[in-house]
Amino acid sequence: MNKIVLVTNYPLDNQQSMQRYASALQLGLSSRRLQVIKTFPKPVLGKINYTKEGIYKWLGYIDKYLIFISKLHDVRADLIHICDHGNAMYVPHLQDKNHLITCHDVLAIRSALGQIPQNPTSWTGKQYQDLILKGLNRAKHVVCVSHKTREELLAISTLKTEQTSVIHNSLNYPFRQLSLEEAAQRLSSRNEILKNPFVLHVGDNKWYKNRSGVLRIFARYRCLYPESDLNLLLAGRPLSKELEHLKNKLNLSSRIIQWINPNTEQLEALYSTAQALLFPSLNEGFGWPVIEAQACGCPVICSSNEPLPEVAGDGALTAPAEEEEELAQLLAQAIQSSSKRSGLIKKGLANVERFNPEKIIDAYIQLYTNLVC
């Protein structure tokens, strides 16, 4: 192999995790002296007034699926790697080229198929996800980021088992446990955060992130320890109106801190100073926050809904997402028991070694070689 092209996401969609994934892949492959080039749809019409809502989102679609596809035909490489299955519509235009695609989850596709009733999909959304699934069906090879994602993909697609493989995500940033001094410096713009201990959740308001469960679990913990000065810090998107209402109903207003979209350096500091990461997701494709927290020496309490046990290994306390009382009890163990806490930290740090970027790059290079030969 002499040249690999990574197809990455439309910048105006601001999909930070996917951009970090592609950048980490490019860095790792380049360190092995491979020629690696990133290509992506350039904002042309989208620069006019791009949003992800209403008529203006179609400006971005023109950039992504008309202008960029015409340029994709001219790409010359030994192998083309589409880094996000959300761009599977490009696959039909790469049938004469060596290619593969990474599938990070099939939650939106399954929702569009009616398999996830709690996440209804609009008519246009169903057509969009149908195009993604048709693209995946025509891929030469699909890498899935977890065994659970692979099983779900095989169940809804026409792909054969041998057309798929599992390569876990790696840490896409060198997360490490910061000293209290360094963490405090990074969090200096929000001095109030370190005044009281806090438990951390990282995510947004999507149904599967289960933020309502996070609030209820924290409220149950507060009932167990009414004198506790523990806060809950929510890192990510602002709470929705419904979640704000639930927060008030649970009498948590004085105990909730929101940090809207912290950058990676701030997030590393939050992991390093949190009492625990509370991550009771209903569903995930992988679950990056679990290994990010472990790498920073932060105890993890997460749901036992797959693929989180696959990712967390024995470095987390787990229970079904629906068992909120049990998760509150596990949170208490991680905070109140010094021996349990130190054991979780030690096991978490050991577990993260499975996701060493060098190991992941080795797996991709072996797969690339097999596909090209």
Side-chain angles (χ1 to χ4, degrees):
M1 289 184 297
N2 294 316
K3 183 178 179 182
I4 298 168
V5 170
L6 303 179
V7 179
T8 64
N9 289 29
Y10 189 56
L12 295 184
D13 284 337
N14 196 29
Q15 294 167 304
Q16 294 183 18
S17 62
M18 291 297 95
Q19 298 291 3
R20 290 200 303 267
Y21 166 79
S23 295
L25 191 57
Q26 181 184 33
L27 180 63
L29 294 170
S30 298
S31 70
R32 305 299 181 85
R33 299 186 178 181
L34 294 171
Q35 183 184 1
V36 185
I37 297 173
K38 279 201 301 187
T39 186
F40 53 86
K42 306 295 192 300
V44 180
L45 295 179
K47 290 194 297 186
I48 297 172
N49 188 11
Y50 182 63
T51 69
K52 294 184 182 180
E53 303 295 334
I55 191 171
Y56 292 108
K57 69 181 179 182
W58 294 96
L59 299 176
Y61 287 168
I62 293 172
D63 287 346
K64 290 185 278 188
Y65 305 125
L66 291 180
I67 297 174
F68 181 64
I69 283 176
S70 67
K71 296 180 179 179
L72 198 58
H73 285 290
D74 299 326
V75 172
R76 296 291 178 265
D78 295 292
L79 185 135
I80 297 174
H81 183 168
I82 300 174
C83 294
D84 179 3
H85 67 280
N87 294 319
M89 284 85 89
Y90 300 149
V91 170
H93 304 276
L94 299 175
Q95 293 301 297
D96 61 338
K97 307 176 192 294
N98 288 321
H99 68 271
L100 76 154
I101 186 166
T102 297
C103 181
H104 296 272
D105 66 70
V106 292
L107 299 179
I109 300 174
R110 290 183 60 224
S111 295
L113 292 172
Q115 296 182 5
I116 305 178
Q118 63 267 47
N119 188 41
T121 305
S122 66
W123 183 87
T124 55
K126 290 178 180 178
Q127 308 313 304
Y128 188 74
Q129 294 303 320
D130 183 60
L131 289 173
I132 292 175
L133 182 56
K134 287 178 178 177
L136 286 166
N137 284 334
R138 296 190 63 183
K140 182 175 181 180
H141 194 89
V142 180
V143 172
C144 299
V145 299
S146 67
H147 290 282
K148 179 252 192 183
T149 295
R150 184 191 196 188
E151 291 171 4
E152 291 184 341
L153 175 64
L154 289 171
I156 62 174
S157 73
T158 59
L159 291 164
K160 298 177 181 178
T161 302
E162 58 269 23
Q163 291 177 274
T164 67
S165 58
V166 175
I167 299 178
H168 286 133
N169 287 325
S170 68
L171 285 169
N172 53 29
Y173 178 85
F175 285 95
R176 63 183 176 85
Q177 187 169 19
L178 305 178
S179 68
L180 181 58
E181 292 75 19
E182 185 175 1
Q185 185 176 11
R186 293 190 188 185
L187 303 177
S188 59
S189 63
R190 299 286 301 273
N191 287 326
E192 78 279 10
I193 286 176
L194 297 181
K195 290 181 179 179
N196 291 319
F198 65 90
V199 62
L200 176 67
H201 178 262
V202 178
D204 55 29
N205 298 320
K206 294 186 179 71
W207 66 272
Y208 61 89
K209 293 298 182 183
N210 194 23
R211 267 187 163 180
S212 61
V214 172
L215 294 175
R216 289 191 296 268
I217 292 164
F218 183 69
R220 288 174 183 268
Y221 175 89
R222 295 279 305 154
C223 289
L224 292 172
Y225 297 94
E227 302 303 318
S228 171
D229 60 354
L230 188 71
N231 289 331
L232 172 62
L233 194 151
L234 302 171
R237 302 295 296 168
L239 285 174
S240 65
K241 290 182 179 179
E242 294 77 11
L243 290 172
E244 284 284 354
H245 176 73
L246 179 60
K247 178 191 74 173
N248 295 331
K249 182 179 178 181
L250 295 171
N251 296 316
L252 294 177
S253 296
S254 64
R255 288 296 173 185
I256 301 294
I257 300 173
Q258 296 192 61
W259 191 317
I260 310 305
N261 298 331
N263 62 38
T264 307
E265 290 75 18
Q266 293 166 337
L267 187 58
E268 186 177 32
L270 292 173
Y271 284 133
S272 296
T273 51
Q275 294 296 301
L277 173 74
L278 179 59
F279 201 69
S281 290
L282 299 170
N283 210 325
E284 290 284 340
F286 180 76
W288 258 311
V290 169
I291 59 172
E292 292 171 355
Q294 288 177 333
C296 295
C298 179
V300 174
I301 294 85
C302 64
S303 69
S304 56
N305 303 37
E306 291 291 352
L308 294 183
E310 176 185 339
V311 174
D314 63 354
L317 299 178
T318 67
E322 299 76 16
E323 298 297 330
E324 295 175 354
E325 182 67 36
E326 185 177 356
L327 285 164
Q329 295 280 358
L330 294 177
L331 178 61
Q333 290 181 34
I335 294 174
Q336 302 295 329
S337 170
S338 58
S339 60
K340 179 69 74 173
R341 181 179 181 80
S342 61
L344 277 175
I345 292 172
K346 183 177 180 180
K347 289 178 180 179
L349 290 169
N351 181 62
V352 169
E353 289 302 311
R354 295 195 292 136
F355 307 97
N356 184 294
E358 292 297 316
K359 294 180 181 179
I360 306 305
I361 293 299
D362 287 341
Y364 270 113
I365 290 176
Q366 183 61 60
L367 177 59
Y368 290 169
T369 302
N370 293 342
L371 292 175
V372 170
C373 294

